[in-house]
Amino acid sequence: MTDLWPVTYSNGETIRQILARSKHTLMMSQNKWTDRQRHRANIPFRHYPMQKAAYHLAMELRQIFNAKIPPAKQWGG
């Protein structure tokens, strides 16, 4: 007989619950995460390395768009 119960992780949630509840967390910078959010986000990062890479790329892009560029450099001056 197959196991009908989903796998739960160290925080007691299933992967579906973790992914659903971490959507908002993954839109935030890591330095704003609480310990619980950090723990929840690291679970799928361990199982889905591409998700971790995509998160880090998105944060790098965010830094580029948030960078303060002096007006003289914006126009090549």
Side-chain angles (χ1 to χ4, degrees), residues 11 21-22 24-26 28-42 55:
N11 63 350
R21 293 175 182 163
S22 65
H24 177 71
T25 303
L26 295 176
M28 296 174 12
S29 178
Q30 278 183 322
N31 60 356
K32 295 181 180 178
W33 291 353
T34 64
D35 289 338
R36 187 173 181 170
Q37 288 171 326
R38 184 171 285 105
H39 182 70
R40 182 178 282 152
N42 282 325
Y55 171 78

Side-chain angles (χ1 to χ4, degrees), residues 47-62:
H47 294 281
Y48 304 104
M50 287 189 71
Q51 183 183 24
K52 183 176 184 176
Y55 171 78
H56 288 294
L57 286 173
M59 292 300 110
E60 287 178 27
L61 187 60
R62 174 181 278 179

